[in-house]
Amino acid sequence: MKHRFGTAVGAAVLGISGLLAAGSPANAEAQAPRSLSVYEHDDYKGRSAHLSGNDANFINNYWSGGSGASINDNISSFRNSGDQRAVMYANANYTGAAYSALAHSSDSDLTHNSNNPSNFDNVASSVRFVI
Ligand SMILES: [Ca+2]
Ligand SMILES: [Ca+2]
Ligand SMILES: [Ca+2]
């Protein structure tokens, strides 16, 4: 009887530690930095803007510098310096052709692509970050 009691306690402790371990990865994902710098022209030139979260419509996102010009349909190169993949969509609300920008990647010319839409120049209208 004594031995069986000890086994039951051990199982209960294992159950608690299992719950704690399951909660940790979710927190890590939520805290992974999101950092996408986008540029008006090829080779990271022209005006720039920074995206650090999901954005369903670029129509109200403007190039830095106060020009008041929207980045919508005008992104020609990017640098993704964050830990999450940034999926840019041709249309608002995460619809249309999708370009997957891997974490810690860059593309100096969105006109010619192999593993993404062949031409994504001046197309992006929304972005969603994923692990
Ligand atoms: Ca927006
Ligand atoms: Ca452009
Ligand atoms: Ca578009």
Side-chain angles (χ1 to χ4, degrees):
M1 287 298 285
K2 190 177 180 183
H3 177 72
R4 292 182 60 175
F5 179 76
T7 301
V9 171
V13 172
L14 271 177
I16 292 169
S17 62
L19 280 174
L20 290 173
S24 299
N27 287 336
E29 288 176 13
Q31 292 166 1
R34 300 169 167 185
S35 181
L36 181 69
S37 295
V38 295
Y39 302 85
E40 180 181 16
H41 301 313
D42 290 348
D43 300 317
Y44 323 109
K45 295 204 170 85
R47 292 172 287 188
S48 64
H50 187 249
L51 297 156
S52 57
N54 295 343
D55 199 310
N57 196 336
F58 288 167
I59 201 72
N60 62 347
N61 294 64
Y62 306 103
W63 298 115
S64 60
S67 65
S70 172
I71 71 173
N72 189 53
D73 293 340
N74 203 358
I75 295 170
S76 295
S77 58
F78 73 83
R79 281 196 182 98
N80 183 4
S81 58
D83 293 336
Q84 294 192 16
R85 190 158 52 92
V87 182
M88 290 179 274
Y89 295 86
N91 302 330
N93 300 312
Y94 320 119
T95 59
Y99 180 109
S100 180
L102 299 178
H104 303 284
S105 74
S106 60
D107 191 331
S108 64
D109 181 356
L110 285 169
T111 307
H112 307 289
N113 314 299
S114 52
N115 297 318
N116 274 301
S118 58
N119 187 346
F120 210 69
D121 188 39
N122 300 326
V123 162
S125 291
S126 57
V127 68
R128 181 147 57 192
F129 290 84
V130 295
I131 290 289

